[in-house]
Amino acid sequence: MRPSVPLPPTSAVRTEARAVQVAGLAVVVSFVAALIAFAGRRPALSGDHSVGDVAGLVGGAVAVIVLPLAYRHTFDHPQHHWLVERPAWRRYLGVLALAVVHGAIAFMAAWAGFRIFQQAFGALTFDPFAGAIETAVVGGLSAYATYQSGARMNSYLLSNLLATYLAAGVLTSMVTTKNPNWWEINFSALGAANSGVAWTFNVTLVTGGIVITMLAEYVTRDIQALAAFRADRLASLGVQENGFVRRRGRAFGGTDVRIRPVFVCLVLMGLLLAGTGLVPVDVYMPGHNVLATSMSGAFVVLVVGLPWWLPGVSRTFQFTGFVMLGGAVLAVVLWYPLGYYNMTAMEMFVAGIVLGWLVLLIRNLAAAVEDARRSALSELLGS
């Protein structure tokens, strides 16, 4: 008999197997919990104490529990050993933020989904067994998706999670607020105490800010990896001078990249966003406005400075960044002095532009790193 070869800790096959195992366990636990919750009544798909409420809570709780179990496998990846080198408080805070993000996304997806189905099926209700089956399906899907996400975490996935979480959190605040005229005031009115959902909006901003600071670390590691790949590439071509790799054309090596300004701007954006959530508009408006405006300022500095700090970034992305920055300026001008729309519309446009640009930045860096790795592998195989 041929001896079996042990799988490495980062094996994709092992990750897939564990995700299925965790999902199976979550199905059983969710089913039992739902049976207890629905005992003696016929819940509706949506509404108070409905299948959607219980399924959302179960799915969110499952995601919060599964994420730390899955995320620790990210540390085993050779490219992510730097995660272990971070201070303990940063590791724990990052895991907590990611758990909240996954839990919130799972809850909001289930809650919104059952609300849509309730509109489609009218007054349909379920017995405890049927309601428990639906809840078990949600729990299993939440466990499987969360485990896959946590075990394979990278900058690309983290940026998508950030965009999904912020969009879902803000949208949930909009549709559940008790102040129907919030949009006549400003966007931050969702975080005021009289909105009824202040904690949802403010927690979304605080957690999103923490995730952006985590994203800053992932981004800088991608930039360092890209710089190393291109420095090795230039060195292999003999483009060295006095022990340093110098730039040729638009390629860049380690000596051309200024990582710290990029890192500082991203961290500032994250901290300022978190601060905006910690200082609601109805608690101290001047401080809230200063934090929100300063975040926009950090974004402007990052967009303008990126071509000089990362000279190898594609010209298409640089041009797109300036176009989006111009769009943000136009959005402000349409509010003041032109008065075309109110402050809420302006804030929504600017927030969407900032978030969209961040996602594009991560995607472009991830694509550049992937191309560099493929090029290095091709050269290695060719030699």
Side-chain angles (χ1 to χ4, degrees):
M1 295 180 62
R2 185 175 299 176
S4 60
V5 179
L7 295 173
T10 57
S11 167
V13 174
R14 176 168 293 178
T15 298
E16 190 67 33
R18 286 176 174 172
V20 173
Q21 294 167 3
V22 170
L25 179 60
V27 166
V28 175
V29 174
S30 301
F31 181 80
V32 174
L35 273 182
I36 297 173
F38 298 142
R41 60 190 185 90
R42 291 185 62 88
L45 281 169
S46 181
D48 293 337
H49 309 293
S50 63
V51 177
D53 285 353
V54 174
L57 290 173
V58 169
V62 166
V64 170
I65 295 172
V66 170
L67 187 279
L69 301 176
Y71 190 62
R72 64 186 180 89
H73 294 298
T74 305
F75 297 166
D76 297 329
H77 198 287
Q79 298 176 4
H80 294 156
H81 284 169
W82 59 271
L83 290 169
V84 186
E85 301 171 358
R86 298 184 302 166
W89 69 269
R90 284 167 59 185
R91 295 201 303 270
Y92 293 138
L93 183 61
V95 171
L96 177 61
L98 288 177
V100 171
V101 167
H102 284 80
I105 291 175
F107 171 80
M108 289 183 285
W111 179 81
F114 278 99
R115 189 167 183 174
I116 292 172
F117 279 115
Q118 183 69 73
Q119 295 293 323
F121 290 96
L124 177 66
T125 60
F126 291 89
D127 58 54
F129 180 77
I133 290 179
E134 294 185 350
T135 303
V137 171
V138 172
L141 291 175
S142 175
Y144 181 82
T146 301
Y147 197 95
Q148 292 280 10
S149 175
R152 305 173 188 272
M153 189 62 64
N154 54 37
S155 57
Y156 177 77
L157 180 57
L158 189 58
S159 66
N160 289 336
L161 279 172
L162 174 66
T164 302
Y165 172 68
L166 289 177
V170 171
L171 184 59
T172 301
S173 299
M174 290 179 182
V175 299
T176 57
T177 181
K178 295 181 179 179
N179 181 9
N181 299 319
W182 67 269
W183 55 273
E184 296 179 355
I185 308 171
N186 54 48
F187 196 57
S188 299
L190 291 171
N194 63 353
S195 69
V197 293
W199 69 271
T200 303
F201 182 79
N202 294 329
V203 168
T204 298
L205 297 185
V206 172
T207 310
I210 296 174
V211 173
I212 290 178
T213 61
M214 290 185 63
L215 192 60
E217 295 181 296
Y218 278 89
V219 167
T220 53
R221 294 292 171 170
D222 284 349
I223 295 173
Q224 289 174 345
L226 184 58
F229 275 122
R230 293 186 173 178
D232 291 342
R233 169 69 173 166
L234 294 179
S236 67
L237 295 175
V239 188
Q240 284 195 331
E241 186 175 289
N242 299 326
F244 293 96
V245 178
R246 60 182 177 82
R247 201 170 99 191
R248 170 185 286 179
R250 295 180 59 249
F252 65 91
T255 57
D256 296 307
V257 180
R258 299 184 62 188
I259 298 176
R260 183 160 295 277
V262 179
F263 177 78
V264 170
C265 285
L266 287 173
V267 169
L268 279 176
M269 290 176 65
L271 294 178
L272 292 168
L273 179 62
T276 304
L278 290 173
V279 185
V281 67
D282 61 331
V283 173
Y284 186 56
M285 180 180 293
H288 179 89
N289 292 339
V290 167
L291 290 168
T293 304
S294 299
M295 178 186 172
S296 301
F299 165 72
V300 172
V301 172
L302 183 56
V303 173
V304 173
L306 199 67
W308 287 269
W309 298 334
L310 301 181
V313 175
S314 73
R315 291 178 180 174
T316 300
F317 174 69
Q318 294 178 19
F319 177 76
T320 302
F322 284 109
V323 171
M324 295 178 74
L325 182 58
V329 173
L330 177 61
V332 174
V333 172
L334 287 174
W335 166 60
Y336 182 83
L338 296 182
Y340 177 73
Y341 49 37
N342 63 6
M343 181 184 293
T344 302
M346 180 273 293
E347 291 176 320
M348 292 180 65
F349 275 116
V350 173
I353 288 172
V354 172
L355 188 58
W357 184 86
L358 282 176
V359 173
L360 286 178
L361 171 65
I362 305 306
R363 292 180 65 93
N364 276 269
L365 288 176
V369 172
E370 182 64 23
D371 286 346
R373 287 173 181 163
R374 289 179 179 177
S375 177
L377 181 61
S378 298
E379 292 179 3
L380 181 63
L381 295 176
S383 62

